[in-house]
Amino acid sequence: MTQEQNDPARAYSQSEAPSLKTDAASAPKKRFEDLPPAAQRALREAEERRKKIDSKQDAMAGEVNGRGGLEPTRYDDWEIKGLTVDF
Protein backbone atom coordinates (compact mmCIF):
# COMPACT_ATOMS: atom_id res chain seq x y z
CA MET A 1 0.00 0.00 0.00
CA THR A 2 1.44 3.40 -0.93
CA GLN A 3 0.92 6.66 0.93
CA GLU A 4 -0.83 9.44 -0.87
CA GLN A 5 1.18 12.53 -1.77
CA ASN A 6 -1.25 14.86 0.03
CA ASP A 7 -0.98 13.01 3.36
CA PRO A 8 -0.70 15.72 6.09
CA ALA A 9 1.78 13.62 8.07
CA ARG A 10 4.27 13.85 5.22
CA ALA A 11 4.29 17.66 5.39
CA TYR A 12 6.56 17.64 8.46
CA SER A 13 9.81 15.91 9.19
CA GLN A 14 10.26 14.33 12.61
CA SER A 15 12.14 17.39 13.89
CA GLU A 16 9.65 19.92 12.44
CA ALA A 17 6.45 18.32 13.77
CA PRO A 18 4.36 20.74 15.84
CA SER A 19 4.47 20.11 19.57
CA LEU A 20 1.32 19.40 21.53
CA LYS A 21 3.04 19.86 24.87
CA THR A 22 1.53 22.40 27.21
CA ASP A 23 3.43 24.50 29.67
CA ALA A 24 1.08 23.94 32.60
CA ALA A 25 3.72 24.84 35.16
CA SER A 26 3.96 28.41 33.90
CA ALA A 27 0.18 28.87 33.62
CA PRO A 28 -1.19 31.21 36.27
CA LYS A 29 -2.85 29.35 39.14
CA LYS A 30 -6.45 30.24 39.90
CA ARG A 31 -7.17 31.25 43.43
CA PHE A 32 -10.23 29.87 45.21
CA GLU A 33 -11.67 33.38 45.40
CA ASP A 34 -11.44 33.75 41.61
CA LEU A 35 -13.71 30.76 40.98
CA PRO A 36 -17.45 31.21 40.35
CA PRO A 37 -19.70 30.82 43.42
CA ALA A 38 -21.06 27.48 42.19
CA ALA A 39 -17.53 26.06 41.86
CA GLN A 40 -16.60 27.34 45.32
CA ARG A 41 -19.71 25.72 46.80
CA ALA A 42 -18.97 22.42 45.02
CA LEU A 43 -15.38 22.37 46.30
CA ARG A 44 -16.53 23.08 49.86
CA GLU A 45 -19.14 20.30 49.67
CA ALA A 46 -16.57 17.85 48.30
CA GLU A 47 -14.17 18.72 51.10
CA GLU A 48 -16.93 18.11 53.68
CA ARG A 49 -17.68 14.72 52.10
CA ARG A 50 -13.99 13.76 52.20
CA LYS A 51 -13.74 14.76 55.86
CA LYS A 52 -16.84 12.72 56.68
CA ILE A 53 -15.45 9.67 54.86
CA ASP A 54 -12.04 10.08 56.53
CA SER A 55 -13.58 10.35 60.00
CA LYS A 56 -15.65 7.23 59.29
CA GLN A 57 -12.46 5.46 58.18
CA ASP A 58 -10.58 6.54 61.32
CA ALA A 59 -13.42 5.29 63.55
CA MET A 60 -13.34 1.78 62.08
CA ALA A 61 -11.53 -0.98 63.91
CA GLY A 62 -8.23 -2.02 62.37
CA GLU A 63 -8.19 -5.16 60.28
CA VAL A 64 -6.13 -8.05 61.68
CA ASN A 65 -3.71 -9.51 59.12
CA GLY A 66 -5.47 -7.54 56.39
CA ARG A 67 -4.17 -6.26 53.08
CA GLY A 68 -3.02 -2.98 54.60
CA GLY A 69 -3.70 0.50 53.33
CA LEU A 70 -7.02 2.28 53.24
CA GLU A 71 -10.37 0.51 53.35
CA PRO A 72 -11.17 -0.37 49.69
CA THR A 73 -14.91 0.28 50.16
CA ARG A 74 -14.55 3.69 51.83
CA TYR A 75 -16.33 5.44 48.94
CA ASP A 76 -19.16 2.86 48.97
CA ASP A 77 -17.58 1.14 45.98
CA TRP A 78 -14.67 -1.29 45.79
CA GLU A 79 -11.50 0.42 44.64
CA ILE A 80 -7.86 -0.53 44.24
CA LYS A 81 -5.21 2.15 43.75
CA GLY A 82 -7.89 4.77 43.16
CA LEU A 83 -9.69 2.81 40.41
CA THR A 84 -13.16 1.35 40.83
CA VAL A 85 -13.10 -2.41 40.37
CA ASP A 86 -16.06 -4.53 39.36
CA PHE A 87 -15.93 -8.15 40.49
Side-chain angles (χ1 to χ4, degrees):
M1 181 172 9
T2 62
Q3 280 190 331
E4 295 181 26
Q5 293 296 330
N6 59 0
D7 183 13
R10 294 177 60 108
Y12 298 102
S13 69
Q14 187 68 11
S15 61
E16 296 173 332
S19 175
L20 299 176
K21 292 182 182 178
T22 60
D23 197 10
S26 67
K29 305 249 187 228
K30 282 194 172 185
R31 296 184 346 223
F32 183 78
E33 297 80 23
D34 295 338
L35 296 173
Q40 291 179 9
R41 185 179 63 248
L43 288 172
R44 282 191 208 103
E45 290 172 358
E47 181 63 27
E48 290 174 18
R49 284 193 301 273
R50 281 191 292 274
K51 286 180 182 178
K52 183 178 175 184
I53 289 170
D54 289 343
S55 66
K56 179 179 153 185
Q57 172 75 25
D58 293 340
M60 292 177 67
E63 189 175 8
V64 178
N65 294 328
R67 67 184 265 281
L70 298 172
E71 172 63 33
T73 58
R74 67 188 175 279
Y75 297 116
D76 297 327
D77 203 352
W78 191 269
E79 64 89 17
I80 298 174
K81 296 183 182 176
L83 300 173
T84 301
V85 178
D86 193 4
F87 296 98

